Amino acid sequence: MSIALAERGSAIPQAPSPAAPGRRRRGARLVPQWFLFPALALYAIVVLYPSVAGGWYAFTDWKGGAEANWIGLDNFRELMADQAAVASLRNTLTIAVTLTVAQSGLGLLLALALNSAIRARNLLRTLFFAPMMMPPVIVGLLWQYIYTPDGPLDTAMGALGMDGLIQSWLGNSQLALWAIIASVIWHHVGMSMVIFLAGLQGIPDELYESAALDGASTLQRFWFVTRPLLGQATTIATALTMTSSLKLFDQVFVMTGGGPGVSTQTLSLIMYREAFVYGEYGYGSAIALVLTMIVAFIVFLQMSVTRRGETEA
């Protein structure tokens, strides 16, 4: 009897031993990483590889064919000796500084005004942000039409009796760059406004009430309460504005093509022409590398200064 039970028991299948807890946790951690692999592979193919290849081509005489000869720093020496490139660098820095100050300042003023309890503030927020939804090329064509002789701007100034101020807005080398800057501010000021609005809505009302009870004026409440607590929003808004303005291309290409002369030419525009019009891909890559280094340095410097001010505040 006992022998039969033993034989019968030996026929019962044994349950598999549970996996070790450590192995299960490792498997659970690896599963999300496998889902990231397709996106990382696409990012490496589309972004990382072209960036590394472009950095290498900047030191060659590559003209788009299979052969690319190493020439060291010759492209950069040519860039420094190119007067058009130097003018483009000056225009690019002028655009970046002006847009960062004007767009951020105007965006902050709009945010302060539309954060108050005024009627139709939601409608006004939508109207100021709406231009952000338009493609840059469309914005460039729209403002090119506005600036045309006898166009909407000239017509409006004539109706207001300001005929003496009518200019060739895009044909005057002294005004063309500022005309482009005005169109870019109109296009992007809504982005700065929204960022500052988010920062303002995160400030507790109790701080303003306490400051008012202490006798602080409106200007004092802004300077000692609002300004320090908007440090993070200011960093984000100015960094995004600085980055986009240093790479400005679309409006310049559509509105003036870099003219008259080189008065509105930017590094992005000259890089495009050297690479895709003249076929000097090595030289164009060198310009792109210089532009990347300028963007990285200025944004890093700007964020460091802003964060230092935020910490001191």
Side-chain angles (χ1 to χ4, degrees):
M1 184 70 175
S2 60
I3 297 175
L5 289 175
E7 292 176 351
R8 190 181 305 170
S10 63
I12 297 175
Q14 300 294 324
S17 59
R23 186 180 304 171
R24 287 202 304 269
R25 285 195 296 269
R26 254 193 325 271
R29 286 197 301 265
L30 286 175
V31 169
Q33 297 176 11
W34 283 110
F35 284 104
L36 289 175
F37 180 77
L40 292 176
L42 181 63
Y43 180 79
I45 294 172
V46 176
V47 177
L48 293 182
Y49 173 73
S51 299
V52 174
W56 183 79
Y57 284 129
F59 298 91
T60 68
D61 62 352
W62 187 46
K63 300 184 183 301
E67 185 178 0
N69 300 313
W70 181 270
I71 58 174
L73 299 175
D74 287 356
N75 286 328
F76 300 95
R77 295 190 186 97
E78 181 180 353
L79 178 62
M80 292 300 103
D82 189 347
Q83 295 301 316
V86 174
S88 300
L89 175 60
R90 183 172 59 251
N91 293 336
T92 300
L93 295 177
T94 301
I95 291 172
V97 173
T98 305
L99 283 179
T100 301
V101 174
Q103 182 178 309
S104 299
L106 185 57
L108 177 58
L109 291 176
L110 289 174
L112 290 170
L114 299 180
N115 193 49
S116 58
I118 61 174
R119 292 183 178 182
R121 61 178 179 178
N122 291 331
L123 175 61
L124 291 173
R125 291 174 183 177
T126 303
L127 291 176
F128 282 114
F129 186 75
M132 276 293 299
M133 300 294 101
M134 301 175 63
V137 173
I138 301 300
V139 173
L141 292 172
L142 172 64
W143 280 86
Q144 185 185 46
Y145 169 69
I146 291 174
Y147 286 134
T148 53
D150 298 325
L153 180 59
D154 288 354
T155 302
M157 296 182 71
L160 294 173
M162 304 169 65
D163 303 79
L165 298 178
I166 295 177
Q167 303 285 337
S168 176
W169 302 104
L170 298 180
N172 189 330
S173 60
Q174 303 296 322
L175 296 175
L177 186 66
W178 301 105
I180 293 174
I181 289 174
S183 71
V184 177
I185 292 175
W186 177 85
H187 186 205
H188 290 288
V189 71
M191 178 189 68
S192 299
M193 179 196 70
V194 169
I195 294 173
F196 283 118
L197 267 174
L200 288 171
Q201 292 174 359
I203 300 176
D205 294 334
E206 292 80 4
L207 296 177
Y208 292 110
E209 294 172 0
S210 300
L213 290 175
D214 290 338
S217 64
T218 302
L219 183 59
Q220 288 174 328
R221 289 198 296 270
F222 169 78
W223 188 257
F224 294 106
V225 178
T226 305
R227 182 188 60 86
L229 295 178
L230 280 182
Q232 187 174 7
T234 303
T235 301
I236 295 172
T238 54
L240 290 177
T241 303
M242 179 71 73
T243 304
S244 61
S245 58
L246 285 170
K247 300 183 296 182
L248 184 66
F249 172 81
D250 306 81
Q251 280 97 326
V252 177
F253 182 79
V254 171
M255 295 174 67
T256 64
V262 294
S263 60
T264 62
Q265 194 162 249
T266 62
L267 283 179
S268 297
L269 185 60
I270 196 173
M271 174 190 66
Y272 163 79
R273 284 180 175 167
E274 291 294 337
F276 300 104
V277 176
Y278 305 129
E280 297 288 344
Y281 290 97
Y283 186 46
S285 298
I287 299 173
L289 183 59
V290 170
L291 180 59
T292 301
M293 295 174 64
I294 292 173
V295 171
F297 173 75
I298 292 181
V299 171
F300 174 78
L301 182 64
Q302 179 267 331
M303 293 184 69
S304 299
V305 172
T306 306
R307 287 176 178 173
R308 186 180 300 115
E310 179 182 352
T311 303
E312 293 175 353

